[in-house]
Amino acid sequence: MRSAEPRTVQERARQALSDEFLRNAVKFTTERLRAGKQTASQEHGNWEEWRERARQIRLHTIAHLDYYLQEFVENARANGVQVHFADTAEEAAALTMDIAKQCGARSVVKSKSMVSEELHINQALQAGGVEAVETDLGEYIIQLANEPPSHIIIPAIHKNRYQIAELLSKEAGEELPPDTTALAGFVRRKLREKFLEADIGMTGCNFAIAESGSIVLFENEGNARMVTTVPRTQITLMGMERIIPTWDDLEVMATLLPRSATGQKLTVYMSGISGPRRAEDRDGPEQMHLIIVDNGRSLQLGDPHFQELLNCIRCGACLNACPVYRHIGGHAYGSTYSGPIGAVLKPALNKNVAEWDDIANASSLCGACYEACPVKIPLHDMLVYLRQRKVEQGVQSGEEKAGMKGFRYVMSSHKRYGRALRWGRVMQKLLLRDGVIKARIGPLKGWNQHRHTSPLPNKSFREGWQALERDIQRERTEMDEQIRERLHRHLNEREKGGVGDE
Amino acid sequence: MNEESRIKQDRFMQRIADRLGRPRLTEKPPHPHKGAPPDWRRFSLDREERIALFSENWQKAGGHVVRVPDLEAAKTYIAQKAKELGAYAIIRQNQPELNALDWQQALPEAEIVVWHSEQQKDLLRYAAGADIGITMAEYGIAYTGSLVCTSSGNQGRSVSLLPAVVMAILPAERIATRMGEVLAHFDGRPRAQFPAGIHFISGPSRSADIENDLTIGVHGPGVVFALIVG
């Protein structure tokens, strides 16, 4: 990937915020997708009932995952699929390379798959001398730019058509106009050749149906169908939690996933693939491999705070709803998965707290992600648990530690608290300008960069409470008299048969 | 590789059970929340409503709808469109409804190749260069505006995917209201009768990956006709 990457979320966010096109593009795209979702969920009706249904199906599947995964694997094997298991990203990459070597592959065409991004499969293939071509239009563009996706659903959200025309012109060896139709037309022709030449087609997996051993793919362009139709060998990478029990359950997922992702009633293509081509078939893969990946997922199982994370159906609705994502875009998160789900997934998939980065802090804990989630994952609660875990394991900045210690010292005694307030009122006089504090020092640095801090009032709430309480008491008695009088009047009128309303 | 995979599989499942804090499950667990909410299953439209809703959704997605009285009329319409488009290379599925129609007489100038197991031609390459693909749809879904096609020796996946234009014939009585009605056909179907590919198609291939600007026909067909018969 790109070198000299900024190391913290804050640094990357600052970089993103200074890129005006990126800010506008992210804002426009997320607004469009969010509005689409809103219309689609309202139009469908009973959205809450469907969300709850989907949550129940996911909870049930994960709670019985050993049974359903076993059922799925046995059925897939019976369909003629060669099933492999990978505990780690490295194992998955090694298995992929083994298969590629076995069939003497020189090139792989891929449809969009977040799990392959997570496992860095492209790098592994390229290191092994196998060409890996992304075929989703957005993924193809960012592959040419050598950048990671910035959105789960629209990976090239951060590129404008002039930048895209430049990238594709280089590939075409001629000047292409910055016109969407012309650019997409070039990609269609170019990738048609790639599809027909490729030895292996590689896909992810949206859902895996246990009762028949089928995988299900959702897409709009048709590239996933190409990848599963044209090459002789197919490799499907699948997170171990992608299972649903039956085809019947697919109706619920197929109703929620596209509506939550893009506001579509259904993606243009939804394909159920149940093994390699049958003996008499003339297209579809002759060999089909399935690599089932753990890579940190089983760590979530049995964890009361995080097990629900495995319910995620990767729709991206939480990204579009998140006020932080909408400002900084996906790259600032510095991991494969961005947005609220990424802020939880990255730390959750990696047990080593010290390697977590500051990603769990990139959230305002407002809960918009939970509201948007079609399977009701309480992401904002999980972010709090992550921060708690970090503190419990002692991974915390010195500043934060000292700040919390100080807070505890001051707040645990009312005398100390009163003294601190009085002291603060005196000291702030040095900083007050036009009635506010503008100085960018100490803990006020970040805040005051964009706004001003209000000064401490002359009298704190606590100091004014005694007088306030007296007022309230007095007001209540007076009010009571009035109300009593009015009620009596009402009652009398009603008894006389008059209309009670004023 | 297979034996190794079996050992790995056992370890995988055991780890899941261990993490969940119980022995491995060998009995099918009861699944009380299977499928769509109960109220939804009672949702059913009458024939004309189904046709209207399917048509509305298919057109909204960018597809074309034509209603014809019978298969013969569908053939005539396709032939007329093919002439208009100047289509030469045509590929069609080997389905009884299509076989019963005289395509050669309707399109004397075109080359029409039939997809079947014994076909001598390189079918994939031919389909990739074809102007029009012709297929019968097995089911339709009104609520999502979808066609369902399945694969077999006589029904190539490529026919509805690779040509520039796809003409799908959908008998009106095959249109269901909900997706669940169609999925029920696959729920519990025996392995020997299970197709390798089941494809739900809801309009022309599309992408909004360049500046959110909608583009039609990115990898799959950009022009898709649903010919509703009856």
Side-chain angles (χ1 to χ4, degrees), chain A residues 352-394:
Chain A
N352 189 349
V353 179
E355 285 174 19
W356 278 0
D357 205 341
D358 41 358
I359 198 162
N361 294 334
S363 163
S364 62
L365 303 179
C366 68
C369 43
Y370 168 72
E371 294 289 324
C373 178
V375 291
K376 295 165 82 169
I377 303 173
L379 286 167
H380 58 308
D381 288 343
M382 292 179 179
L383 285 161
V384 175
Y385 294 135
L386 282 174
R387 293 181 193 184
Q388 182 187 349
R389 249 177 226 193
K390 215 166 166 173
V391 172
E392 278 168 3
Q393 298 194 22

Side-chain angles (χ1 to χ4, degrees), chain A residues 228-247:
Chain A
T228 56
T229 297
V230 184
R232 283 169 180 274
T233 305
Q234 179 183 332
I235 303 178
T236 292
L237 293 165
M238 167 189 148
M240 61 188 267
E241 81 287 13
R242 296 288 100 207
I243 304 277
I244 50 174
T246 65
W247 281 87

Side-chain angles (χ1 to χ4, degrees), chain A residues 291-304:
Chain A
I291 303 177
I292 300 175
V293 180
D294 183 329
N295 200 32
R297 284 165 175 77
S298 58
L299 295 175
Q300 274 39 266
L301 286 169
D303 184 324

Side-chain angles (χ1 to χ4, degrees), chain A residues 273-452:
Chain A
I273 313 285
S274 312
R277 68 164 76 171
R278 307 294 184 248
E280 62 289 350
D281 288 5
R282 291 292 299 271
D283 58 4
E286 286 162 21
Q287 257 193 45
M288 183 170 164
H289 294 268
L290 185 67
I291 303 177
I292 300 175
V293 180
D294 183 329
N295 200 32
R297 284 165 175 77
S298 58
L299 295 175
Q300 274 39 266
L301 286 169
D303 184 324
H305 298 323
F306 291 98
Q307 184 163 317
E308 278 187 68
L309 203 47
L310 298 172
N311 295 357
C312 176
I313 58 171
R314 307 280 193 266
C315 67
C318 59
L319 279 63
N320 305 327
C322 177
V324 176
Y325 179 90
R326 286 191 346 237
H327 279 91
I328 63 176
H331 286 162
Y333 289 81
S335 64
T336 305
Y337 302 98
S338 58
I341 184 68
V344 182
L345 253 187
K346 187 193 180 190
L349 293 177
N350 185 346
K351 250 238 143 123
N352 189 349
V353 179
E355 285 174 19
W356 278 0
D357 205 341
D358 41 358
I359 198 162
N361 294 334
S363 163
S364 62
L365 303 179
C366 68
C369 43
Y370 168 72
E371 294 289 324
C373 178
V375 291
K376 295 165 82 169
I377 303 173
L379 286 167
H380 58 308
D381 288 343
M382 292 179 179
L383 285 161
V384 175
Y385 294 135
L386 282 174
R387 293 181 193 184
Q388 182 187 349
R389 249 177 226 193
K390 215 166 166 173
V391 172
E392 278 168 3
Q393 298 194 22
V395 183
Q396 199 182 4
S397 75
E399 258 172 65
E400 189 184 334
K401 223 183 265 179
M404 285 298 171
K405 234 183 198 165
F407 184 77
R408 183 174 159 187
Y409 178 76
V410 171
M411 296 304 283
S412 54
S413 142
H414 75 88
K415 280 183 188 154
R416 268 180 234 143
Y417 175 65
R419 263 205 304 277
L421 279 182
R422 284 193 294 278
W423 184 77
R425 246 176 256 140
V426 174
M427 295 306 282
Q428 73 181 5
K429 285 191 180 132
L430 299 170
L431 300 171
L432 274 179
R433 302 278 180 276
D434 311 324
V436 291
I437 299 169
K438 298 178 182 175
R440 295 172 188 175
I441 50 162
L444 295 177
K445 202 170 156 191
W447 179 271
N448 279 357
Q449 245 164 27
H450 303 286
R451 14 177 142 54
H452 300 139

Side-chain angles (χ1 to χ4, degrees), chain B residues 44 157 159 191:
Chain B
S44 175
R157 310 176 197 209
V159 175
R191 193 176 322 280

